[in-house]
Amino acid sequence: MIEISTPKTHSLQQTAVNKDIHAEDLNEEDQSFYTAIKPCLNAMATNPSQDTISNLVNYSKSI
């Protein structure tokens, strides 16, 4: 029989979010992409769609 294992990583142990990353620290291509999607992301954060709200409520009811 062959023994199978998964390599150990620390990816699940890092729970803190790195908030030290700024748009200025990105390369030119990443800055362009960030600038292009930033208005849409901000709009979703301030005005979530009705589907998003319904999904959150339904999930909350299920747990």
Side-chain angles (χ1 to χ4, degrees):
M1 184 180 268
I2 299 173
E3 184 177 333
I4 300 173
S5 64
T6 304
K8 293 181 181 180
T9 63
H10 301 291
S11 61
L12 296 177
Q13 294 176 357
Q14 286 186 323
T15 57
V17 177
N18 184 1
K19 294 183 179 184
D20 296 335
I21 298 174
H22 302 283
E24 307 84 53
D25 298 335
L26 302 173
N27 65 31
E28 187 176 332
E29 182 181 354
D30 289 340
Q31 281 185 359
S32 175
F33 176 73
Y34 177 72
T35 303
I37 66 168
K38 186 176 177 180
C40 293
L41 293 175
N42 287 338
M44 285 190 291
T46 56
N47 299 315
S49 70
Q50 189 60 40
D51 289 339
T52 302
I53 295 169
S54 297
N55 288 340
L56 288 170
V57 170
N58 290 338
Y59 177 77
S60 296
K61 289 178 182 178
S62 71
I63 54 174

